[in-house]
Amino acid sequence: MRLEAPEVSQMLVLRDRVESSGGRFVPAWSVWSLALSLFVFTNAIAQPVQLEDVVRAVVTDSPLISLEDARVRRAQGELQQAQGSLDWTATAESGWQRLYVVEARDGFLTDNLQDIDAWRTSIGISRQFRNGITIQPGVSFYIDANVNPAQSMGLTQTLPSLNLTIPLLRGYGADSPIATAERAARLGVEASQHGREYGTQRAVSSAVLVYWRCLALRHQFEVAENDHQEAQEFVQAIRGFVEQGQGEPLALDRASAGLAVQNVTLARSRAADEACRRELDVAMNGDGIGELPLPVGDFPEIDEN
């Protein structure tokens, strides 16, 4: 801590006044304590804030709450990924085949076979349920077979199908792997949501406690300022009486000692107030360096009934 030139000059003027009052000196520790009260702390610009401002700042801009929101979104993505196995899935398959059909001659079927080129296409959808059962309806047909159904024995006709897969040994029922994965992902979403609620309440509660503490320290600082002002006025009044010969120098010594105590109290109150305001600024997602919040408001009334 370094005193500027105006502060040093004020200290010297104060010392000259004390020395000229009846030839008595005030103890050195009281002079330096008074000089400490004249030191101007580097206070940032005050920004008045009320309780609702603190809560709003925490809820909207808190990095802790943003982290909890990210965890919720990640858990929701994992749930969607786990539920993706339960969605309907469309499948399509197409390819060339060589078919052997009954040879037709003069409108009659013979006992000979002929080979033809055919393009077979299968289209279907499938879904696996939570109990492990898979259902798959579909349809198959041939394109440009150029044979009548009698020659292919109905093979080239459009053929619907329905496949049903039921696990027999493992993977059936409520403990199937797909059901277990979805249940775990759903519980993960619920846990992340509870974590976000708890994180929000914790951040708001911590900021509110800091706000009430800073408000109390601010009131204490204001009381200390008023007491210090009254002590200064009292010392000035006693000095005037001593200079006029209407009082004893011992009374001035006692008043100056009381002022020195008020100086220390004021300095401590100022330091505690500024430190708490920096903590409140950090709780409101600030950096604790620039513009500091100034808590304003009244304490709630206590119901004694």
Side-chain angles (χ1 to χ4, degrees):
M1 182 177 65
R2 182 173 60 89
L3 296 178
E4 302 295 338
E7 300 164 355
V8 177
S9 61
Q10 292 179 4
M11 182 186 68
L12 296 178
V13 170
L14 176 61
R15 182 179 178 181
D16 293 339
R17 287 185 177 181
V18 174
E19 292 177 353
S20 62
S21 58
R24 299 181 62 86
F25 292 89
V26 178
W29 62 268
S30 63
V31 176
W32 285 107
S33 299
L34 183 58
L36 179 64
S37 68
L38 296 175
F39 177 74
V40 179
F41 287 85
T42 308
N43 289 326
I45 302 176
Q47 176 189 2
V49 293
Q50 297 182 348
L51 180 60
E52 53 269 22
D53 300 326
V54 176
V55 175
R56 185 184 305 110
V58 173
V59 173
T60 56
D61 299 327
S62 175
L64 297 178
I65 298 179
S66 300
L67 178 60
E68 296 296 338
D69 290 338
R71 291 175 178 173
V72 171
R73 290 191 296 268
R74 183 179 61 184
Q76 291 175 345
E78 294 175 352
L79 176 60
Q80 292 179 355
Q81 184 177 3
Q83 290 178 336
S85 302
L86 299 173
D87 294 337
W88 286 97
T89 303
T91 58
E93 180 182 358
S94 182
W96 170 86
Q97 287 184 350
R98 171 155 292 186
L99 298 180
Y100 290 90
V101 299
V102 178
E103 183 181 3
R105 184 181 302 168
D106 298 331
F108 296 94
L109 296 178
T110 67
D111 56 355
N112 297 324
L113 295 178
Q114 70 176 41
D115 59 282
I116 61 174
D117 294 332
W119 196 267
R120 184 177 182 273
T121 300
S122 299
I123 299 176
I125 56 176
S126 64
R127 180 184 179 185
Q128 185 177 9
F129 296 92
R130 291 178 177 83
N131 56 9
I133 297 177
T134 302
I135 184 173
Q136 185 177 8
V139 62
S140 301
F141 54 90
Y142 285 85
I143 301 176
D144 297 333
N146 295 326
V147 294
N148 58 59
Q151 286 184 268
S152 64
M153 299 299 178
L155 182 62
T156 56
Q157 290 291 95
T158 300
L159 302 176
S161 63
L162 177 62
N163 297 324
L164 189 64
T165 304
I166 302 176
L168 297 180
L169 299 179
R170 293 186 306 174
Y172 179 75
D175 294 332
S176 64
I178 187 172
T180 303
E182 186 205 14
R183 185 164 56 251
R186 191 179 300 277
L187 292 177
V189 172
E190 295 178 0
S192 63
Q193 291 175 346
H194 290 311
R196 178 178 60 183
E197 294 176 359
Y198 171 74
T200 302
Q201 294 175 1
R202 181 180 60 182
V204 172
S205 177
S206 300
V208 169
L209 291 177
V210 174
Y211 166 80
W212 289 123
R213 180 157 53 87
C214 291
L215 185 61
L217 290 174
R218 189 64 188 177
H219 288 176
Q220 293 178 6
F221 175 62
E222 293 175 353
V223 171
E225 280 188 325
N226 294 333
D227 293 344
H228 181 266
Q229 181 64 29
E230 293 177 357
Q232 283 182 328
E233 294 175 355
F234 181 71
V235 170
Q236 292 177 359
I238 295 298
R239 180 180 295 108
F241 291 145
V242 172
E243 291 177 351
Q244 295 175 6
Q246 299 178 1
E248 296 182 358
L250 182 60
L252 180 59
D253 294 344
R254 293 176 179 175
S256 299
L259 178 59
V261 174
Q262 293 297 330
N263 292 336
V264 176
T265 302
L266 178 61
R268 291 177 178 177
S269 298
R270 181 185 290 110
D273 175 69
E274 184 176 353
C276 188
R277 287 171 57 196
R278 294 189 185 280
E279 184 179 356
L280 180 60
D281 186 54
V282 173
M284 296 176 63
N285 311 310
D287 53 9
I289 299 177
E291 185 177 355
L292 298 181
L294 178 64
V296 296
D298 298 324
F299 288 96
E301 297 181 359
I302 300 178
D303 189 5
E304 299 180 354
N305 297 330

